[in-house]
Each structure stands twice: as structure tokens, then as C-alpha cells.
Amino acid sequence: EVPGVSIPAELLKAITSLENPEEQKKLGLAYTQELVLSLLDRVEGIYLISPFNKAPLLEPIIRSIRQTARGARLRVRPPQEQA
């Protein structure tokens, strides 16, 4: 949980119904990818934050963004190194 961030009850129920952490992660990433793609034509940018500084988790989402016409024009900044 992150302060100020709400997870739709339906998604939370679906994730917690899965026992396997890998399946939970896949479902969360699929939901995030769908959400991001649905917003691309309505926003100027999207700020993705990986949990626990695990940037590789975001790679499938970034790839799917780049495959869209709008996403191909966006500049994706690499994750910042934490000091």
C-alpha cells in the first residue's frame, strides 16, 4: 500500500484471490498496462514508479507504450539511479 494511492476494490480482490505472487504480479502489470494505454491520448505524459526500485518490472509496459502511434513519439526517460 502507498499513502494517497487507491487500488480499485475489484482489482484488489482479484489480486488477493491469487496465491502465487508471480500470478499476482502478472495481473497487476496487465491492469497497469491496460490503464496506461487507455490514457495515452488524454494526457501529456505518464510517470511510472516501479515498486522497490525494480525498474525491469516496467519494461513490458514501456514496450507496449512504444508500440502505439502516440507512444512512438514519446521520449521515455531511463530510471534515475538512487544515491
Side-chain angles (χ1 to χ4, degrees):
E1 293 184 26
V2 177
V5 175
S6 60
I7 299 172
E10 190 175 295
L11 175 61
L12 188 57
K13 184 177 179 180
I15 288 174
T16 57
S17 73
L18 299 170
E19 292 183 21
N20 183 326
E22 281 300 311
E23 292 300 316
Q24 292 173 341
K25 182 169 67 174
K26 285 180 188 178
L27 179 59
L29 287 171
Y31 177 85
T32 303
Q33 183 172 335
E34 184 179 318
L35 178 63
V36 166
L37 293 175
S38 74
L39 293 172
L40 275 182
D41 291 329
R42 295 183 248 168
V43 297
E44 291 296 319
I46 294 173
Y47 187 67
L48 300 172
I49 302 172
S50 63
F52 308 109
N53 201 26
K54 295 181 180 180
L57 288 175
L58 301 177
E59 289 176 4
I61 297 169
I62 293 169
R63 272 197 304 275
S64 66
I65 292 170
R66 287 181 172 159
Q67 291 174 354
T68 68
R70 173 146 163 66
R73 296 187 307 269
L74 296 176
R75 183 171 64 121
V76 177
R77 296 181 189 154
Q80 297 290 323
E81 291 289 325
Q82 289 191 348

